[in-house]
Amino acid sequence: MSSMFTLLAAASALALGVGITAAKAHAADVKSVVLVHGGFVDGSGWQGVYDVLKKDGYDVTVVQNPTTSLADDVAVTKRAIAAASGQVVLVGHSYGGVVVSEAGTDSKVAAVVYIAAFAPDVGESVSSLIANPAPGAPVPPILPPVDGFLFRDKAKFAASFAADVKPELASFMAASQVPWGVAALDGKVTSPAWKVKPAWYLVSTEDKMIPPEAQRAMAKRAGATVTQAKGSHAIYVSQPKAVAAVIEKAAKGVKTASQ
């Protein structure tokens, strides 16, 4: 009888060991990253971050949001999540933070990462978050809407959005702006991903679009792991290595937490 108990104990230990190994192997599979851009730009600004992540062995998808409405952008992002391999680290810059907050409750999303981004709570939108700027806060040079779409003043684009980006590239970004729909700004989040998923946040300390203090406040509310770096709102363009490092920390953080 004692030998039988010994065999059962050994079998149980073996099964437990296999289960733990399987769990670790599954956790190590968080190697897919989905990148979501913000307003006035398209996904091409992620190229530097994409290159770093690909070199480090990640499977990367860059979402091309139409930025016409939050619902449209969430739908495009969810299709990218569905097509990704395995669990996903979902990353949003600026308005892209609103998109990942709404889309990030998807069961395939392991973590959400905010890069100088809005991180709204239930019922909040870009419009509501920027409605009452702090005294002395910089006012983004956004022109009045035309046919329901917004553009930034080209002459002020570089200084406010991309101060640390090479002048030639910043000039191109200003000239190739994507129309940002007012409906996208007004889109309200219904169930923020950061309430149910681990979150990371990169604060850009020289940001002239979303004040750094507002970024810190949103990150704190989201319970995010915070990193700070000196950069403009376009830090994802100017400092791709720093941005990629935060994304990789998120991927590894999810792995560590699930072991």
Side-chain angles (χ1 to χ4, degrees):
M1 184 66 71
S2 61
S3 61
M4 183 180 293
F5 282 124
T6 301
L7 288 172
L8 287 172
S12 297
L14 177 61
L16 180 60
V18 170
I20 292 173
T21 301
K24 289 184 177 181
H26 177 73
D29 287 340
V30 183
K31 297 293 285 185
S32 288
V33 177
V34 174
L35 304 171
V36 183
H37 66 81
F40 303 116
V41 295
D42 65 10
S44 62
W46 286 112
Q47 184 173 357
V49 175
Y50 169 92
D51 289 342
V52 175
L53 293 173
K54 287 292 288 185
K55 183 179 178 181
D56 291 345
Y58 289 86
D59 180 18
V60 186
T61 299
V62 179
V63 177
Q64 290 287 13
N65 284 329
T67 61
T68 49
S69 72
L70 179 58
D72 289 343
D73 297 336
V74 168
V76 173
T77 300
K78 284 191 172 183
R79 287 197 290 271
I81 294 168
S85 175
Q87 294 290 99
V88 167
V89 174
L90 184 60
V91 185
H93 168 256
S94 192
Y95 160 71
V98 182
V99 179
V100 304
S101 292
E102 186 72 2
T105 54
D106 188 287
S107 61
K108 286 186 66 177
V109 175
V112 286
V113 180
Y114 296 89
I115 307 298
F118 293 103
D121 203 343
V122 176
E124 291 182 341
S125 63
V126 171
S127 294
S128 68
L129 288 170
I130 66 174
N132 298 298
V139 178
I142 299 174
L143 301 173
V146 177
D147 297 329
F149 291 94
L150 298 166
F151 286 93
R152 297 172 58 79
D153 186 332
K154 289 183 182 180
K156 300 177 181 178
F157 186 98
S160 61
F161 193 98
D164 58 351
V165 173
K166 292 180 180 179
E168 299 83 0
L169 179 54
S171 178
F172 176 79
M173 291 170 69
S176 61
Q177 291 180 61
V178 177
W180 192 9
V182 172
L185 272 73
D186 292 339
K188 296 179 180 179
V189 169
T190 61
S191 181
W194 52 260
K195 290 196 172 184
V196 294
K197 309 281 183 173
W200 277 257
Y201 198 111
L202 175 61
V203 174
S204 185
T205 62
E206 303 299 313
D207 199 322
K208 303 300 182 185
M209 290 290 295
I210 305 177
E213 284 306 313
Q215 293 182 39
R216 294 185 187 102
M218 287 186 288
K220 182 178 179 179
R221 181 176 66 177
T225 299
V226 178
T227 300
Q228 298 193 98
K230 186 177 181 179
S232 72
H233 191 60
I235 192 169
Y236 72 112
V237 177
S238 61
Q239 297 187 50
K241 290 183 179 179
V243 172
V246 173
I247 296 169
E248 293 189 23
K249 284 179 182 177
K252 293 170 183 176
V254 173
K255 170 187 171 183
T256 301
S258 59
Q259 284 183 339

